[in-house]
Amino acid sequence: MAFDLQWLLIGLPIAFALGWLGSRLDLRQWKREQRESPRAYFKGLNLLLNEQQDKAIDAFIEAVQHDPDTTELHFALGNLFRRRGEYERAVRVHEHLLGRADLAQADRDRAQYALAQDFMKAGLFDRAEQAYQALDGSAFDTEARLALLTLHERSRAWRAAVEVAQKLERSGTGSFSTRIAHYWCELALEADAAQHPEDGDTALRHARLAAPHLARPLVITGQRAARRGDLNGALKAWNELLVAQPTAFNLVAKDYAATALAAGQADAALDRLRELYARAPTMDLLAAIAMLDPAPEGQRVRLFRHLQDQPTLSAAQELLRQTTAADGVAPLTAEETQGVRDAVGRAAKPLQRYRCAACGFEAQHYFWQCPGCLSWDSYPPQRLEDL
């Protein structure tokens, strides 16, 4: 049967016309989807800026439905879910992103980091740890290690915390020597609780090497020596603390005095305490001095002088206690009474204020409208000491 060329001449224009029409329809649909997707996206952003998170989530869900391949929309939606406390939905969004084979490596790392944050916020610390560890060597390596450090601190996994902190320090993130020393101190306390004193000694040596300036290793060293009955070892550690960190010495001042008495070194310890008190007077040092020089007359004189220089409630309370502790003790003199009055007035002054219930702004005078947040009737009509 011969082929009629006439049909070919008729069919070619028809096929061309149908192809052109189909392409136009596809193009219009694509343009319409492109218009609808940005519109929904910007609508969500506008709602988010207006703090309407529920409506913003709906808008972003609509945008994702129009363009399921857009990663930025997924990230925005997942972050919104996390901020709303809907951690399960946030996890599903970020796991969906990680399941896409066409996802770029940068976006994959970003989704992995977001997933780790979801687990962290949800309290799933074991899964969060695994998710952060998967970011090793990625663009989020430093952020992941910092998060792991916080995670190890919360779970009291001190050895793991030491390793992570050392990696951060080697990478140039910053100095973590103080934190590393504290981790070793925690390990020393754990070793003592488990009755492994050798491990405790090793941990304290690492702590001293990590941060020689830190007070805590010296405090613990002295306490451990005192418990073992090594009085000279305890005094040696605390004398070193007195020189290196005189402010922190207040934490062990009374223990130092008691140990010096037991070791027969009360006079030398008293001289050191008086010298330190002259530079930086505190009630802790004053109490330690009283243990080494217990004469009531001397204690009262020291307390009165301290009250004149440092009008604190603690000093006033101790002076009152000493003047009423036993019969035959002379009552407060006029100067001592004035010192107690000054200390009480100083301590009471911060409590003689009004505080706004809306923003916490405090003022000596009562305001009907808060100067801080401009709320009306937000001040309770009682001062802080009456609440």
Side-chain angles (χ1 to χ4, degrees):
M1 180 178 178
F3 179 75
D4 193 348
L5 292 177
Q6 183 178 359
W7 291 107
L8 181 61
L9 294 175
I10 296 174
L12 282 175
I14 294 175
F16 176 78
L18 290 174
W20 178 84
L21 183 60
S23 66
R24 293 295 296 176
L25 290 174
D26 289 341
L27 183 61
R28 288 180 182 178
Q29 182 179 1
W30 178 82
K31 287 182 177 179
R32 183 166 58 252
E33 290 175 352
Q34 291 298 310
R35 285 195 302 269
E36 289 174 353
S37 180
R39 188 181 298 118
Y41 181 70
F42 289 122
K43 178 183 177 182
L45 283 178
N46 184 49
L47 292 168
L48 189 59
L49 291 173
N50 289 315
E51 298 184 357
Q52 301 181 45
Q53 293 189 9
D54 291 335
K55 294 181 178 179
I57 286 175
D58 294 337
F60 281 130
I61 290 175
E62 179 186 351
V64 168
Q65 290 173 345
H66 284 138
D67 191 359
D69 295 329
T70 304
T71 57
E72 290 300 329
L73 292 177
H74 285 79
F75 281 122
L77 191 57
N79 291 337
L80 268 177
F81 282 144
R82 189 193 313 127
R83 289 176 58 184
R84 289 276 298 170
E86 300 180 48
Y87 304 121
E88 185 177 350
R89 300 178 75 181
V91 166
R92 286 205 303 267
V93 170
H94 294 131
E95 284 182 339
H96 169 73
L97 280 172
L98 288 172
R100 285 175 45 181
D102 61 335
L103 197 65
Q105 187 59 46
D107 288 334
R108 186 172 298 279
D109 293 338
R110 183 180 171 191
Q112 181 70 32
Y113 182 65
L115 182 63
Q117 289 179 300
D118 297 338
F119 290 141
M120 190 75 170
K121 289 288 186 179
L124 303 173
F125 298 140
D126 53 341
R127 299 186 68 179
E129 181 177 357
Q130 294 174 2
Y132 281 126
Q133 288 174 345
L135 290 164
D136 189 28
S138 70
F140 293 91
D141 183 86
T142 299
E143 292 86 346
R145 285 178 178 170
L146 289 171
L148 276 173
L149 197 61
T150 302
L151 188 59
H152 292 324
E153 287 181 357
R154 293 179 65 172
S155 60
R156 305 184 67 81
W158 303 119
R159 289 195 180 277
V162 168
E163 294 176 4
V164 173
Q166 288 174 342
K167 288 180 180 178
L168 283 166
E169 201 163 50
R170 286 195 296 267
S171 66
T173 304
S175 175
F176 290 83
S177 58
T178 298
R179 293 172 76 166
I180 291 172
H182 278 295
Y183 300 155
W184 283 117
C185 287
E186 292 289 344
L187 286 168
L189 295 177
E190 288 183 355
D192 286 343
Q195 298 183 351
H196 296 146
E198 298 83 5
D199 294 340
D201 294 338
T202 302
L204 284 176
R205 282 197 298 271
H206 284 304
R208 294 294 304 276
L209 288 172
H213 63 282
L214 197 65
R216 191 181 183 188
L218 289 172
V219 170
I220 296 176
T221 299
Q223 291 171 339
R224 296 175 78 241
R227 286 197 299 269
R228 292 195 306 265
D230 182 8
L231 302 182
N232 290 327
L235 290 175
K236 179 181 178 182
W238 288 333
N239 282 329
E240 188 176 348
L241 175 66
L242 191 150
V243 175
Q245 294 286 344
T247 304
F249 183 80
N250 289 285
L251 299 173
V252 295
K254 293 180 182 179
D255 295 333
Y256 178 79
T259 305
L261 280 171
Q265 301 183 31
D267 292 339
L270 183 58
D271 291 339
R272 293 190 184 95
L273 288 174
R274 283 173 173 167
E275 181 182 352
L276 179 59
Y277 179 83
R279 297 198 310 266
T282 67
M283 283 299 297
D284 289 316
L285 291 175
L286 204 60
I289 290 173
M291 293 173 64
L292 299 173
D293 182 13
E297 298 80 7
Q299 290 187 45
R300 184 163 174 175
V301 170
R302 288 191 296 269
L303 272 172
F304 175 61
R305 290 175 179 171
H306 184 90
L307 192 60
Q308 287 180 313
D309 297 334
Q310 307 284 333
T312 62
L313 279 182
S314 297
Q317 182 185 32
E318 183 62 21
L319 185 60
L320 288 172
R321 188 191 66 80
Q322 288 200 10
T323 55
T324 59
D327 296 334
V329 178
L332 290 175
T333 65
E335 290 181 337
E336 290 173 338
T337 302
Q338 184 60 44
V340 172
R341 186 182 296 115
D342 292 342
V344 173
R346 179 184 177 188
K349 191 173 182 179
L351 299 176
Q352 296 169 344
R353 298 178 180 178
Y354 299 96
R355 178 184 290 167
C356 174
C359 70
F361 187 89
E362 294 183 4
Q364 286 290 125
H365 304 286
Y366 185 83
F367 289 100
W368 296 103
Q369 184 186 27
C370 175
C373 63
L374 304 181
S375 299
W376 291 96
D377 290 327
S378 59
Y379 276 87
Q382 295 94 11
R383 297 182 189 271
L384 291 176
E385 60 184 352
D386 297 324
L387 292 175

